[in-house]
Each structure stands twice: as C-alpha cells, then as structure tokens.
Amino acid sequence: MKIIEASSYKDLSAKAAMLFVAQMVEKPNSVLGLATGSSPIGLYQELIDYYKKGIISFKDVVSFNLDEYVGLPKTHKESYDYFMHDQLFNHVDIKEENIHVPNGIFTDANAECDKYEALIKAAGGIDIQLLGIGVNAHIGFNEPSDVFAKKTHRVDLKEETIQANARFFGSEEEVPKEAVTMGISTIMAAKKVVLIASGENKFDALEKTINGPVTPEVPASALQYHPDTTIIFCKTSS
Ligand code: F6R
C-alpha cells in the first residue's frame, strides 16, 4: 500500500485526479471503477476540468460504479446513477452505453448481480478502482461481516451506514435499507485501487485498514493484499 497525506480536501482531490488522468492518458479506453458519496466530488470536478482543457477524453472510457441502493429508480435524486450523471457523466463526453451502475430495481437479484460481473469481465476487468471508505471501514457497500463477500451481491446496510447516509436524504427512515454492491473479490481484481478519505471521523477505519489484521470485520483491510493500492487521506473534510 502507498499512503499519501494530502494537506486539504482540495489537495486530496487534485492528487487522486492525477492518478486517474495518468491512467486515461496511458490508456484512453480505460475501464474505470467509480464511487459515489462526498469523497469523490472534488476529484470529479478536477476530472471535468482536465476534460474541458482537452487533456483527457472519456469517449472511449467504460465505467462501472461500485454500488446502488435497492429500490431507487435512476431518476431519484439520491440514486447513485443520478449522482454520477449529475457530478460527472453529464459534463464529459462519456458514451451512455459505456456507463454501468448496478441496477437497484430488479425481480431477480442474483441474475442482476451475475450480469454485472459478466459485464465487468467482458470489458476486460477494471483498470483503476476509486473507493471511499465508511466509518465502519466498508468499501462499496461491503459491510463488516464474518466473511469477505466475493462477487457483486445484494446486501443489508448496517445501522451506522444508514445513519451516515441520512444526511443525503430527508431522514434516516428514507434511506434504503439494502443495496447492490461489487464484492471484495470484484474490487480486489481491479488492477489499481485508489482509496480517498477526508476528515478525522475516518481515521479509526483507516488505521484498522492499514495496520490492523486482515479481517472481514474491517472490509477495507483486504486491500493490504492488493498489489497496487494507493490511499490518499487528509485530516480535514474540507
Ligand atoms: C459509495 C460507496 C461507499 C462510500 C463510503 C464513504 O459508492 O461505495 O463505500 O465510498 O460510504 O462515503 P463518503 O464519501 O460520503 O464519506
């Protein structure tokens, strides 16, 4: 693991963006693994700036998002599909058919999850995967558990995750209680991983991730076994 301390959220976003820009310059048809939440917003703004300056293009990029809430239509403002279009996709030249966000509305969860895995495989695997981290060290929506969930799967969200995400909804009651998420082995199969974390409320999770035992109780700790993971963190959340 490479650990980089940034001086501010802006610095963290700029540094993380440079890793994505380098990837896209080297391989314009990169397969990007993307995340939602507060952490990547600054990074996405940086990428939009690089695109506007003509330094990168998304025209041959393929994207796969980590996760989606179960039951939210793509038109719902808190769906991750909506978030990604709002924060990044609507501002760059990515092709709609190259965008993949897990489908949160389905009749057969297993079939939907298997389809997502097959799509990632057919695209040649993820070149660079962006991750945030939960206060309980979840990555994607892989919550602390007895076992490392492997592939894309449906998951019950933990109370602390529902509480943390209530800030995006009107109240805790409105936060969906289930999600579909890439599994730990899906994430571990990415060629490169970039995890970003800002603010002291993430420090305990980061400490356990970097220095603690590798255990499914700390899902991000699996990254200790990933051959090319960079963690960029800063003390303040702004
Ligand atoms: C989002 C995701 C989550 C978040 C994590 C941190 O797609 O998979 O694991 O990265 O909950 O969220 P923020 O960045 O809002 O603190």
Side-chain angles (χ1 to χ4, degrees):
M1 276 179 172
K2 281 161 261 174
I3 321 285
I4 298 168
E5 181 171 1
S7 57
S8 63
Y9 177 70
K10 183 151 183 46
D11 184 41
L12 172 149
S13 303
K15 285 181 160 70
M18 288 175 88
L19 299 179
F20 277 77
V21 170
Q23 170 68 41
M24 291 168 68
V25 167
E26 276 182 0
K27 187 180 173 204
N29 61 346
S30 286
V31 180
L32 307 183
L34 299 175
T36 58
S38 311
S39 306
I41 292 175
L43 158 61
Y44 293 153
Q45 281 166 2
E46 294 276 341
L47 292 182
I48 293 166
D49 284 350
Y50 278 104
Y51 162 71
K52 286 189 175 155
K53 286 180 190 148
I55 296 168
I56 53 169
S57 165
F58 288 75
K59 78 179 167 50
D60 296 321
V61 159
V62 176
S63 74
F64 287 92
N65 261 80
L66 279 167
D67 42 19
E68 179 61 283
Y69 290 115
V70 169
L72 292 194
K74 291 178 187 301
T75 47
H76 192 291
K77 286 204 162 175
E78 294 309 332
S79 79
Y80 286 169
D81 194 286
Y82 188 98
F83 173 99
M84 287 307 303
H85 282 82
D86 192 38
Q87 296 293 333
L88 179 64
F89 299 149
N90 289 348
H91 311 281
V92 297
D93 59 346
I94 192 165
K95 295 187 183 108
E96 192 60 36
E97 65 265 31
N98 286 347
I99 295 171
H100 304 90
V101 179
N103 191 359
I105 297 191
F106 42 71
T107 44
D108 182 341
N110 288 340
E112 201 62 40
C113 293
D114 290 350
K115 194 169 115 194
Y116 203 65
E117 287 288 329
L119 285 169
I120 295 173
K121 204 170 165 197
I126 292 168
D127 290 307
I128 184 166
Q129 175 67 55
L130 177 66
L131 298 174
I133 185 169
V135 286
N136 62 7
H138 72 211
I139 46 176
F141 274 136
N142 292 278
E143 298 282 34
S145 161
D146 297 342
V147 287
F148 283 118
K150 296 183 179 71
K151 302 288 184 189
T152 300
H153 61 288
R154 181 181 187 155
V155 67
D156 290 327
L157 299 180
K158 293 269 188 198
E159 191 48 40
E160 58 266 29
T161 300
I162 292 168
Q163 276 169 17
N165 288 2
R167 69 191 194 278
F168 300 116
F169 292 80
S171 66
E172 234 177 274
E173 288 67 50
E174 288 170 66
V175 183
K177 308 293 176 278
E178 292 168 69
V180 172
T181 179
M182 283 185 196
I184 293 291
S185 74
T186 324
I187 293 169
M188 292 293 281
K191 295 175 190 89
K192 181 172 183 60
V193 172
V194 178
L195 185 152
I196 53 176
S198 63
E200 289 189 3
N201 64 329
K202 300 286 175 75
F203 274 22
D204 183 49
L206 274 184
E207 167 63 24
K208 289 180 180 147
T209 295
I210 298 165
N211 297 319
V214 174
T215 161
E217 286 299 331
V218 182
S221 66
L223 295 170
Q224 288 182 28
Y225 291 145
H226 189 278
D228 188 0
T229 286
T230 303
I231 296 181
I232 310 179
F233 75 97
C234 67
K235 290 189 179 120
T236 53
S237 46
S238 58

